[in-house]
Amino acid sequence: ELFAGTGALGIEALSRGAVEAVFVERARQPAMALRERLGDLDATERAEVIVADARQYLAGQARPFDLVFLDPPFDQALLAPVLERLALGDWLSPEALVYVESRERPDPGVLPPDWAVWREKRSGAVWYGLLATA
């Protein structure tokens, strides 16, 4: 879960059977609170919390994930560069899905080549969808 914040998406995935989860959060306080919450849920053996900027994390050693949660701050134009790093950095397994939350549906130019919106919905002011390779 990039831009993890409270880790709600990753914690939900763990509760539904995910083998492991990696939470990336740049702000130290929320990351520490997330570590504590994972401890309270007895999930620390299946979870890792990394204090780093998502773009810095994605510039490091890649490991493939089956599902990536991506909920960047809406006002910081981070979606396109993070999607690009995911696509180019061997971060995704062949059948991976990327769950995105944003204000608006991403323009086709924001999506990496051969990616498409697979499923989508809107809830109030938030668009959310699953992206997959086409």
Side-chain angles (χ1 to χ4, degrees):
E1 181 175 355
L2 300 172
F3 309 97
T6 64
L9 297 171
I11 289 171
E12 181 67 18
L14 288 169
S15 78
R16 292 176 181 254
V19 175
E20 67 176 327
V22 176
F23 300 86
V24 179
E25 172 55 49
R26 73 175 181 185
R28 186 164 299 284
Q29 286 296 93
M32 297 303 113
L34 177 54
R35 280 190 183 129
E36 186 175 319
R37 185 168 183 212
L38 289 164
D40 293 344
L41 298 171
D42 292 325
T44 55
E45 291 184 18
R46 299 186 306 139
E48 179 180 7
V49 178
I50 298 170
V51 180
D53 179 85
R55 292 167 296 176
Q56 291 171 330
Y57 176 74
L58 294 174
Q61 180 67 38
R63 61 186 265 202
F65 290 95
D66 296 326
L67 177 61
V68 174
F69 295 114
L70 182 53
D71 182 12
F74 293 171
D75 60 346
Q76 295 185 20
L78 295 169
L79 187 57
V82 170
L83 287 174
E84 181 179 6
R85 287 187 186 192
L86 281 172
L88 298 177
D90 294 327
W91 288 100
L92 303 173
S93 67
E95 301 295 320
L97 296 172
V98 178
Y99 172 84
V100 175
E101 289 186 6
S102 66
R103 273 196 193 116
E104 301 295 330
R105 185 181 208 263
D107 291 328
V110 169
L111 299 181
D114 81 339
W115 282 36
V117 176
W118 183 51
R119 292 188 179 175
E120 65 183 307
K121 288 194 175 191
R122 177 169 284 287
S123 178
V126 177
W127 176 92
Y128 55 99
L130 280 173
L131 308 179
T133 54

